[in-house]
Amino acid sequence: MSVESIFPRLEALLPKVQKPIQYVGGELNSTVKEWDSADVRWALMYPDAYEVGLPNQGVAILYEILNELPGTLAERTYAVWPDLEKLMRSEGVPQFTVDAHRPVRAFDVLGVSFSTELGYTNMLTALDLAGIPLSAVDRGDDDPIVLAGGHAAFNPEPIADFLDAAVLGDGEQISIAITEVIREWKAEGRPGGRDELLMRLAESGGVYVPKFYDVDYHADGRIKRVAPNRPEVPWRVHKHTVMDLDEWPYPKKPLVPLAETVHERFSVEIFRGCTRGCRFCQAGMITRPVRERSITTIGAMVENGIKQSGFNEVGLLSLSSADHSEIGDVAKGLADRYEGTNTSLSLPSTRVDAFNIDLANEFSRNGRRSGLTFAPEGGSERMRKVINKMVTEEDLIRTVTTAYSQGWRQVKLYFMCGLPTEQDEDVLAIADLAKKVIRAGRETTGSRDIRCTVSIGGFVPKPHTPFQWAAQADHETVDRRLKALRDSLRGDREFGRAVGFRYHDGKPSIVEGLLSRGDRRVGAVIRAVWEDGGRFDGWSEHFSYERWMAAAEKAGVDVDWYTIREREENEVLPWDHLDAGLDREWLWQDWQEAVSGGEVEDCRWTPCYDCGVCPTMGTEIQIGPTGRKLLPLTVV
């Protein structure tokens, strides 16, 4: 039975809201299928505004893969801004997809991809607007399965009450497997209802269903154990790892936005995973092992993506793109192919010790030399050893000096404040480093037209990293150190005007820390914040620290206990039953190494150091070189 579009009702509201274009759909390469042509239907949500969500690679890849499956359709939905939310509530318009404007509640699955924990309240808004009960226990057989994925799903416990299921790791293969389980269950006449479907998903150990696990607590609030409450359910749920990226060359038909978005380019993921071992970096830990795309697949994806989309910028993405074993050949091959065209190439933030001026010159062949971005993360060398960011001051100065000498005039440097063992002088060292960068640039070029922008974020300890046991710095300490750093930079007559300074205060980091290492009791805080009007918490103009603290007090949750408290080695952590492949003992030892200043090499180029991922997950590091080259494109 077909489901009607709600667009006629929505259209009447659009003249009354800001940016109505983001709700109309119809983008180039979007897909609209007949409802009755599919027996399994996915609504894919990125829980933020269209301008942030549309460029998201994870959603874009699943959108294509699912729509290629016979008998399956996938549509997209995003968080609506408060002005439209208010009108939708008053007019009874439900949460809708942007592709065919169908009501989200009509779909079989609502898959939500969380890059950050600050999107949790937006999910609750979408559920409520859709008419889906917020609590999973209140949902019936006609409600969609609410499924979480993305990096934040590696600890879904704070939103466990609102989820039916969660998936860890790469989504390409498991999304197809879930689709087939649902298809089979529906074809059999939905035996056993919703519970039976969730049981079928949970039995494999590849899908986490929170309701099938009970959490017991000690009297002091620590977790005693997390245990399955049904015999068929495994004790641990494992992450998914795609081992041959060349088999999954997505997106093939990139979506071209109608409204302005945060990234307007065609992005190609050149490899997945990172083994640099930065102790703060959850993404690097949970996406292991490294798996490279071949140079020929990258070339084919770039050629096809430009042809299908018309984008004139191509971003080569990964956690550290200059670490691809054939990045020099990739850069030269692509630069040769597109020289003289309006197509430009870009790399994201580049490691200082992976930067190569020849590489940078290749990427700037068709574009402006606007700026280079590096992330030393720690201001002092001692701090960089603690976080295993093995970059010396000499490395940084040598690299930026080379860049300035080759025509670049702008360098951005990213740092964190509030790192474990950090002292005031470690943060003030950022100012010294920035001044040395400016001085080196001036001496090299003989020009005073040299700029350096320092950007600082608050550190948040994340699950599945060596810092998962660490105490988070309180926001007063972070703000005091940032103020001292700002004063040091602005008070310098010689360099102050040449150094830009951007920072986030410590309060949002505390809320992110509560959500990233929280357990199921934090769900009451999230719900209370949402009920009090919390929306778009990742946006500074919408975020309210006071609202979060009031909600925590109302829920009886001690924020300091979850954030600024250091954990003991044997404490059961809320995510210990969710397996990212990392050996817990190795993580603990690396945490001890951090405190003592020990460093760990990158196992791509050195012997294995037993993090546990490859043997646990049945995987292996996959890198080149392949020895292949990109051939010039045939001129038609």
Side-chain angles (χ1 to χ4, degrees), residues 270-271 316-324 327 347-349:
I270 63 173
F271 71 85
L316 302 184
L317 304 187
S318 74
L319 292 173
S320 183
S321 293
D323 282 339
H324 191 287
I327 190 62
L347 277 181
S349 176

Coordinates of all heavy atoms in Angstrom, one line a residue, residues 270-271 316-324 327 347-349:
I270 N 40.4 7.9 0.5 CA 41.5 7.2 -0.2 C 42.0 6.0 0.7 O 42.6 5.1 0.2 CB 42.7 8.1 -0.6 CG1 43.3 8.8 0.6 CG2 42.1 9.2 -1.6 CD1 44.5 9.6 0.3
F271 N 41.8 6.1 2.0 CA 42.0 4.9 2.8 C 41.2 5.1 4.1 O 40.8 6.1 4.5 CB 43.5 4.6 3.1 CG 44.3 5.5 4.0 CD1 44.2 5.3 5.4 CD2 45.1 6.5 3.5 CE1 45.0 6.2 6.2 CE2 45.8 7.4 4.3 CZ 45.7 7.2 5.7
L316 N 40.5 14.6 -1.2 CA 41.0 13.2 -0.9 C 41.1 13.0 0.6 O 41.9 13.5 1.3 CB 42.4 13.0 -1.5 CG 42.5 13.2 -3.0 CD1 43.9 12.9 -3.5 CD2 41.4 12.4 -3.8
L317 N 40.1 12.2 1.1 CA 39.9 12.2 2.5 C 40.4 10.9 3.2 O 40.4 9.8 2.6 CB 38.3 12.3 2.8 CG 37.6 13.5 2.3 CD1 36.2 13.5 2.8 CD2 38.3 14.8 2.6
S318 N 40.8 11.0 4.4 CA 41.1 9.9 5.3 C 41.5 10.6 6.6 O 41.4 11.8 6.7 CB 42.2 9.1 4.8 OG 43.5 9.8 5.0
L319 N 41.9 9.8 7.6 CA 42.3 10.4 8.9 C 43.7 11.1 8.7 O 44.0 11.9 9.5 CB 42.3 9.4 10.0 CG 41.0 8.8 10.4 CD1 41.1 7.7 11.4 CD2 40.1 10.0 11.0
S320 N 44.5 10.7 7.7 CA 45.8 11.3 7.5 C 46.2 11.0 6.1 O 47.0 10.1 5.8 CB 46.8 10.7 8.5 OG 48.1 11.3 8.4
S321 N 45.6 11.8 5.2 CA 45.7 11.4 3.7 C 47.1 11.4 3.2 O 47.4 10.6 2.3 CB 44.8 12.4 2.9 OG 43.5 12.3 3.2
A322 N 48.0 12.2 3.7 CA 49.4 12.2 3.2 C 50.1 10.9 3.6 O 51.2 10.6 3.1 CB 50.1 13.4 3.7
D323 N 49.5 10.0 4.4 CA 50.1 8.7 4.8 C 49.8 7.6 3.8 O 50.3 6.5 3.9 CB 49.6 8.3 6.2 CG 50.3 9.1 7.3 OD1 51.4 9.6 7.0 OD2 49.8 9.1 8.4
H324 N 49.0 7.9 2.8 CA 48.7 6.8 1.8 C 50.1 6.5 1.1 O 50.9 7.3 0.8 CB 47.7 7.4 0.7 CG 47.2 6.3 -0.2 ND1 48.0 5.7 -1.2 CD2 46.0 5.7 -0.3 CE1 47.3 4.8 -1.9 NE2 46.1 4.8 -1.4
I327 N 50.7 8.3 -2.1 CA 50.1 9.6 -2.2 C 50.8 10.5 -3.2 O 50.2 11.3 -3.9 CB 50.0 10.3 -0.8 CG1 49.2 11.6 -0.9 CG2 51.4 10.6 -0.3 CD1 47.7 11.4 -1.2
L347 N 43.7 18.4 0.1 CA 43.9 17.4 1.2 C 43.4 18.0 2.5 O 43.5 19.2 2.7 CB 45.4 17.2 1.4 CG 46.1 16.1 0.5 CD1 47.6 16.0 1.0 CD2 45.5 14.8 0.7
P348 N 42.8 17.2 3.4 CA 42.4 17.8 4.7 C 43.6 18.0 5.5 O 44.8 17.9 5.1 CB 41.5 16.7 5.3 CG 42.0 15.4 4.6 CD 42.5 15.8 3.3
S349 N 43.4 18.3 6.8 CA 44.5 18.6 7.7 C 45.6 17.6 7.6 O 45.4 16.4 7.5 CB 44.0 18.5 9.2 OG 45.0 18.6 10.1

